Amino acid sequence: MQPLVDPRHGDIEDDASSTKSNSLLSMAGSLLGEISLAKLIVAWLILFIVPAVIVGLVPLIAAAWAGKLAGKLTPALIGIVPIALFVTVAAMGWLFGRRLFRLAESSFWSLNALVIEPAYILGRESLRHLAERMLPEGAAARRRERFRSWSAAASGLLISALALWVLSMAWPASRWSGEMGDLLALKNLAGVALANTLVVVSAYLAVAALAWGLADAAMPPPRDLPQFSAPTPGARTWRVAHLSDVHVVGERYGFRIESGRSGPQGDDRFRRLLRLLEDIHTSAPLDVVLISGDATDAGRSGEWAEFLDALAAHPDIAARVLMLPGNHDINIVDRANPARLDLSIGPNSRLRKIRALSAIEGVQGSRVHVVDPDGKRIGKTLTEALRPHAAELSRFAARGRPYFSTAASDLWDDVFPMVVPPDREDGLGIVLLNSNTDSHFSFTNALGMISAAQAKAMDAVFAQHPKACWLIGLHHHPVEYPRAAKVLSERIGTTLVNGNWFLRRLMPMAKRAILMHGHRHIDWIGECGGLVIVSAPSPVMESKNDASTYFYIHTLEIGADNCLRLLVPQRVDVPGETPEYERSVVEGVVPRAGIEPATP
């Protein structure tokens, strides 16, 4: 039976959220008709208006309180008040310090992600795009690097100047001192609070944009890896299959959000990939199969079920899989409607984290450890750390009761980074980071950051094993690749918001660490400041069912000098669903993996 419109081929609805089929401008326009006005108002109140009013009122309240206190307290009591305040603040810090710090840090980077980073990236990449178009074809790489550095500094200066102009316009209406009576004059208070907020945010934007621009300009430029290391006789080696962005959809004819009908359907390619890995492992054993995020397309229960079922069919491969969360695993609010908002006070974002955490524990719970924040050492296994919370997690997943929401977020933060300790003091250890920000809007789900808590925990792990080398996995790319782009939209990337800061922290480990990530579906192997960075292509996305895709198997080597080196990787082709391939499957003669060296 052949219907007039074959539903197996999909239709325009499958392209609704696809950035491959729609321009960002057209998608932004379609959002206006889909956004829920009620949710938008509540979200703005929670995320912007209330914090802005608080920021604006704090100076007035502090000044009024200080004036009232100074006028009424006797000199004898004035000496007691500071002690009482100190005791109160210390108690609050002892009880809620970690949670308050995480809230402050999340709010700080959210401000960067919403205001500073997009403005800075837009200015920097626009200038870089213009500069590269002005350069003659075949311009030397060093000349391009200089232009990239200058454009970063220029972008920071321009945005800083614009922020200072806004500050100068808002300053006359601001007020930084007052009395208790002023707080009761609500008619004038709102305007003053808004002006104060504009001054504070503009001042921060002016300083931060300038700092970002200068830091970017002074950062060692990312470069293609000049050459791979040659094998050293007698050196210890590890074979790592690097997968990323497999985007399991959990539907036989389902399309991916990003690619729509321009990409593959269903999960057959992922299953073929696992069969190829098993074939490879039989002839040349693998040590690790790293999945650096976006195991699912939208973090739904059915997608995680399909992912786990596919792995379960290959126990030898599953026993070597190490995975970490991607933005599609935890930040897609609605795969069919990118305009849908997910209120921060609701349970849905926590529920997606619980699904991801449960799947990760099921895959690797007994093989990875969490870091003890108090002892600053590698602590319990993930399974042991989650066991006391198993009943609460199950109840929350079943009912979504809000009383466990905060505890669920704390638990999510506490288990990262996950660590596979080295088998000996000078061996290879693995660190798995969570580089996702909290997003309540599918259209802005892709930005990432590394929290200060994770960075400190990673430093503690390095200090605990000072002679070890490390494979560091995360989802987001920490730096934009040194490639010219055809259109500006390709340049507005989704790097780590604090990627500059993160890379600078890792540079002292450059000879003993290699960074592997996914997210952009781009095949790139390079270095920045001596640190080798490996970006994984998606073995599933970027092509339809009948086209071949590929991934790499990397060989890591530790020589007598205790340095970690990357040898020439092997490219593994994943065949498309051609008639020849389907016949070979039916006949039980599946083609072997096509493996060839990568090009530096």
Side-chain angles (χ1 to χ4, degrees), residues 20-41:
K20 302 295 184 184
S21 305
N22 305 294
S23 69
L24 293 179
L25 185 61
S26 67
M27 291 187 67
S30 67
L31 294 183
L32 296 178
E34 298 290 343
I35 286 178
S36 166
L37 183 60
K39 276 193 172 183
L40 184 63
I41 292 172

Side-chain angles (χ1 to χ4, degrees), residues 306-382:
E306 290 289 342
F307 174 81
L308 294 174
D309 283 351
L311 275 187
H314 304 276
D316 286 343
I317 299 302
R320 288 159 176 79
V321 167
L322 294 173
M323 57 186 298
L324 51 92
N327 59 299
H328 275 255
D329 297 322
I330 63 172
N331 277 338
I332 300 298
V333 177
D334 187 336
R335 63 174 289 116
N337 178 16
R340 181 180 171 188
L341 287 164
D342 190 11
L343 296 180
S344 58
I345 57 177
N348 292 342
S349 64
R350 279 86 169 182
L351 183 57
R352 291 192 295 273
K353 290 177 180 178
I354 287 175
R355 289 178 191 148
L357 188 57
S358 297
I360 290 172
E361 189 278 329
V363 170
Q364 63 201 36
S366 62
R367 292 181 287 124
V368 297
H369 295 250
V370 301
V371 180
D372 181 358
D374 298 321
K376 296 181 179 179
R377 297 177 61 83
I378 298 174
K380 301 176 181 178
T381 65
L382 178 61

Side-chain angles (χ1 to χ4, degrees), residues 238 288 322 364-371 377-382 417-432 461-462 464-465 467-471 558:
W238 291 261
V288 175
L322 294 173
Q364 63 201 36
S366 62
R367 292 181 287 124
V368 297
H369 295 250
V370 301
V371 180
R377 297 177 61 83
I378 298 174
K380 301 176 181 178
T381 65
L382 178 61
M418 298 178 188
V419 182
V420 178
D423 58 354
R424 49 192 262 190
E425 278 305 304
D426 58 351
L428 178 69
I430 302 175
V431 175
L432 306 174
V461 170
F462 295 162
Q464 185 179 349
H465 297 277
K467 297 181 181 179
C469 293
W470 298 93
L471 169 60
I558 299 179

Side-chain angles (χ1 to χ4, degrees), residues 229-240 426 428 469 511-512 514 554-567:
S229 299
T232 304
R236 290 166 291 153
T237 60
W238 291 261
R239 281 169 49 81
V240 179
D426 58 351
L428 178 69
C469 293
K511 293 187 179 298
R512 295 195 292 116
I514 290 177
H554 297 280
T555 301
L556 309 185
E557 176 191 275
I558 299 179
D561 56 357
N562 204 38
C563 292
L564 184 62
R565 285 181 284 271
L566 183 67
L567 306 187

